[in-house]
Amino acid sequence: DIVMTQSPLSLPVTLGQPASISCRSSQSPVHSDGTTYLHWFQQRPGQSPRRLINKISNRDAGVPDRFSGSGSGTDFTLKISRVEAEDVGVYYCMQGTHWPWTFGQGTKVEIK
Amino acid sequence: QVQLVESGGGVVQPGRSLRLSCTASGLTFSSHGMHWVRQAPGKGLEWVAVISHDGSDKQYADSVKGRFTISRDNSKNTLYLQMDSLRIEDTAIYYCAKMDCGPDCPLDYWGQGTLATVSP
């Protein structure tokens, strides 16, 4: 199984400041079709998860443009350009290329 | 609007069974693969299983393979998860989710989750 490793696991940030989360996969999540099905999810406190970024860098509908994704190979990054109060929660990367799909451990973003 | 509503959670003893359901509305259920994802109390997300739109293809996490069975009834717009030989470590909130992503990645949808507790 592909292991997804996130860092840091806890990220205190100041409102208005940027934040960055790293995700590393134990194997390349590139599909045989050439696509990398690496996604990012947000789970706000008390809520169900929702996908923010699909296929490394595509924002899902309704996601603010302060969120961006990048990366290639086995190293991927989620960035928040200016953290807002509503961004508090846990962020997960997930590979949806190889069965079984696997999530990272999660990174808890909180306001300093 | 799309709604996914899980049910069937509860408290069971180790070794017993539980069947979860997820009823969908607001979408063409029979056109989409569907997933179960779980979250142990205070822990992260764990992908559990997926079933193709017509039920012909299924995949499972290693931790549940051979014990859990995913199925669907497209005439009832309902997804199921039959959980047998339950273990204490299966205690979790179970979410059903539509999160297909291929050439296009339409918006994902998740239910509110149902809590399954395995306890002696």
Side-chain angles (χ1 to χ4, degrees):
Chain A
D1 299 359
I2 294 181
V3 177
M4 308 300 290
T5 303
Q6 290 182 227
S7 63
L9 299 184
S10 178
L11 185 56
V13 293
T14 302
L15 287 173
Q17 292 301 301
S20 180
I21 300 170
S22 172
C23 174
R24 180 165 292 176
S25 59
S26 62
Q27 302 171 42
S28 172
V30 179
H31 194 274
S32 56
D33 67 7
T35 304
T36 302
Y37 294 97
L38 187 287
H39 314 307
W40 289 94
F41 291 80
Q42 175 195 60
Q43 186 175 32
R44 290 171 170 153
Q47 294 188 13
S48 301
R50 69 157 177 161
R51 194 175 61 209
L52 296 178
I53 302 286
N54 66 78
K55 294 186 287 188
I56 301 179
S57 58
N58 301 289
R59 273 189 304 276
D60 276 89
V63 174
D65 60 7
R66 64 179 181 275
F67 290 95
S68 64
S70 63
S72 63
T74 59
D75 290 300
F76 306 94
T77 303
L78 174 70
K79 291 183 179 177
I80 310 174
S81 59
R82 293 173 305 279
V83 171
E84 297 189 5
E86 66 178 18
D87 301 335
V88 165
V90 183
Y91 293 78
Y92 299 90
C93 61
M94 187 202 79
Q95 68 82 20
T97 297
H98 303 293
W99 303 114
W101 289 9
T102 44
F103 286 94
Q105 318 97 299
T107 295
K108 186 174 185 178
V109 172
E110 57 186 11
I111 305 300
K112 279 184 187 175
Chain B
Q1 73 280 22
V2 175
Q3 275 197 307
L4 301 175
V5 179
E6 301 94 338
S7 60
V11 181
V12 292
Q13 293 179 322
R16 305 297 291 264
S17 299
L18 206 56
R19 189 176 85 153
L20 307 182
S21 300
C22 169
T23 302
S25 58
L27 77 165
T28 307
F29 182 71
S30 60
S31 295
H32 302 283
M34 295 293 296
H35 300 256
W36 287 101
V37 175
R38 70 183 180 182
Q39 186 168 36
K43 302 297 184 183
L45 301 175
E46 180 186 14
W47 179 85
V48 172
V50 64
I51 186 168
S52 59
H53 68 98
D54 60 358
S56 63
D57 191 23
K58 306 171 185 180
Q59 300 286 341
Y60 298 92
D62 294 344
S63 58
V64 307
K65 201 175 292 184
R67 299 188 300 120
F68 288 13
T69 303
I70 189 171
S71 63
R72 64 191 299 160
D73 185 337
N74 285 343
S75 68
K76 296 182 179 178
N77 285 356
T78 302
L79 174 73
Y80 302 101
L81 186 67
Q82 177 68 39
M83 305 190 296
D84 298 324
S85 303
L86 282 162
R87 304 168 180 168
I88 291 175
E89 56 265 34
D90 294 319
T91 295
I93 297 172
Y94 285 76
Y95 297 99
C96 68
K98 168 197 166 303
M99 45 178 180
D100 39 351
C101 186
D104 298 316
C105 292
L107 201 60
D108 61 326
Y109 292 97
W110 296 64
Q112 83 291 345
T114 187
L115 177 61
T117 303
V118 185
S119 177

